[in-house]
Amino acid sequence: MSRARIQITGIVQGVGFRPFIYQLAIGSRLCGFVANNSSGVEIEVEGDEEKIEDFIGEIKSNPPPLARITSITVDFIPLNSDSSFVIKESIVQEERTALISPDIAICSDCLRELFDPSDRRYGYPFINCTNCGPRYTIIKDIPYDRKFTSMDSFKMCPACQREYEDPSNRRFHAQPNACWECGPRVFLVDGKGNELVGVDPVKETISLLKKGAVIAIKGLGGFHLAVDATNDEAVLALRRRKLREEKPLAIMSADCRKAEEFAVIEPEERGLLESPQHPIVLVRKREGNRISPYVAPRNPCFGLLLPYTPLHHLILQGDFLALVMTSGNLSEEPICIYNKEALERLAGIADYFLLHNRDIYLRTDDSVVRLVERKPLMVRRSRGYVPQPILLPMELKQVLACGAEAKNTICLTKGNRAFLSQHIGELENLESLSFFEESIAHLTRILQIEPELIAYDLHPDYLSTKYALSCQGKRLYGVQHHHAHIASCLAENRVEDSVLGIALDGSGYGLDGKIWGGEVLVADLRRTRRVGHFRYIPLPGGAAAVREPWRMALSYLYAAYGAEYTDLKLSLLSRIPERTRQIIVKMIQQEINSPLTSSCGRLFDAVAALVGLRDYIRFEGQAAMELEATISSEEEGYYPISLEQEGELTIFSPLPMIRRIVEDINKGELPGVISAKFHNSLVQLFADFCLKLREETGMEKVAFSGGVFQNMYLLTHLTSRLEQLGFQVYTHSQIPPNDGGLALGQAVIASYGADK
Ligand SMILES: [Zn+2]
Ligand SMILES: [Zn+2]
Ligand SMILES: [Zn+2]
């Protein structure tokens, strides 16, 4: 006989952990108790020593699906001669260090009940249990208890209450537990907010969608705008009203079997689609599919997701091949969450609104993931993942990192945990700014973090920077954009050493006041030194040059050929009127509104415009995405990029490459071949430069970060080339390589740097 005290930390509260332990202990005939405490779950078990070992083994190998165990410590203590096993109420006041679970897609048990006519919750749109349902999005405060959630206003009926109190029931302490009798309900209203009475709201929604209506559907983390994805007119109407011209729209299909009709789904992609997180997964289009071509024009992929709430499942009973399910917002504004807000902000976009009366406290968009060589690459980390922490190899100060301007997220740290917020979005309007401030207030409260340090980007015009600088009485720490990118990659890979960091993105404020974006740094979590970058090139018109890739093409042509560029025979020059070009060249010559940039993203834009793919973009990264999509994968050639030494710095000049691209265009080479050679040139450049740096410094570790590393071709080819050369390569998987992951790097650097 032995007695063990077992302390478990991680996400172990509010995820069915205590009933799981209870049943495991009863099954193993062990006595003792289980209870929540300030750092997780505490267990004492008494019985046969072998059985205790098996019991611990089972906890480790088979925990409840939503639990994330970060540590288990076991101490053997004197016997207490208990006669039974019980779930104790919390021994001490539950402190707020216990972690909160993300929102989780409906589980298979609940799904079975949803469609079982004999079940008392048959067809109930809010069915859930300890293993599934809303969490993060309905929490007002902690501890995670019904009275601190938006379920507070619904009093459980006796049947629900019995389930809630029964440790052997799978709804034991399921805070959002509800049924037809006592829980939230859905209702359908027209564009003016008048309820359609006497109809079944779900059936009516299905029939309206079939007729081509645009319907705003209140979901888990916010509203979606839905239309039948096979109906061209409906998809076009949605695009027109939402002011979303070409950016791909996510689509939801009932299950993978159905989705296979229009997409090719690899086993790993299926695993992700069906995971408890249920993110949007980028999957390859199947040829000749029946989805409207306006869903994802000129894109080889669909953003696919499977239904994750009971309401989604009920709507998809309408036998749709797929529904467009795009965030309920006007372009670039935060997603709507309140009924009244949706009726106002989505007026004129949605024809009808499928509403419900359970409030959403924190807006949370769908996450977006892509698989690269069978490993997930996060494009947007939000619902299903947040607020699960990134576990770091070191203890940090309590820091608030304010993130970037684009794809903003914030990060809070405590101990060895970094909490990256959900996607907040483009911090360029008042709505986004207030969402940003709300998220900071909410997260600091539920995580009980009081930041002693505030980290921010050096860009003086970012709203996130202005917010940081306005915080009174806090220590502030500015972090260079690309250092933060590399540090975010190091942090998630738990690397504390110094590495060669390749940071490629659209733009980030540089230490010399110029716009950086094609950088090689020697960096660790404290310091950084810039060792190489693309040659500076004027960005004629600033932001306009980002929206109009032809301007970058012209800027490169002018840099490579001077005034003689007009003699070139290029279709680009005939597409852009001479008068317009002259104005741009004058701006470059006289340095009017033409900031200098070393951006790699802008180099992609220039090449995309040169080969005739795109002169104007409708959404960020569009030209680069289309350039990647055209690649002829068998082409192995590459162009020269020259290395020029400027003191300690190496400058990568793409001008020889630009001249060769012009020659290839004149030879009639296909855009796909030029695109492949362009991508290969970048692989060659960075491989050569890393070799040179290894000779000089002996460094063998390389980290990639920045939005350009969402480019699969570059990411996979550069990784395998460097690995062949014997480098250890670190890439992102838990957080996005784009600015959505930046705050993590800022937080870590600030925590270290502030010690100096
Ligand atoms: Zn469930
Ligand atoms: Zn009930
Ligand atoms: Zn960036």
Side-chain angles (χ1 to χ4, degrees), residues 105-111 113 127-133 170-171:
I106 180 171
C107 73
S108 54
D109 290 331
C110 288
L111 200 53
E113 289 180 0
I127 189 169
N128 69 82
C129 72
T130 352
N131 291 331
C132 74
R170 65 183 185 84
R171 296 197 165 89

Side-chain angles (χ1 to χ4, degrees), residues 404 406 457 462 481-482 485 503-508 516-517 705-708 737-740 742:
D457 192 274
Y462 280 4
H481 190 92
H482 301 93
H485 268 308
L504 307 177
D505 64 1
S507 66
W516 294 9
S705 192
V708 170
N738 59 45
D739 284 2
L742 200 78

Side-chain angles (χ1 to χ4, degrees), residues 262-296:
F262 56 82
V264 181
I265 301 173
E266 305 293 342
E268 292 82 4
E269 290 167 339
R270 183 187 178 130
L272 260 177
L273 283 163
E274 294 174 348
S275 68
Q277 290 83 11
H278 268 53
I280 294 171
V281 180
L282 303 183
V283 293
R284 210 151 31 92
K285 286 179 181 170
R286 199 177 279 285
E287 256 176 71
N289 69 71
R290 288 198 294 119
I291 301 291
S292 165
Y294 304 110
V295 164

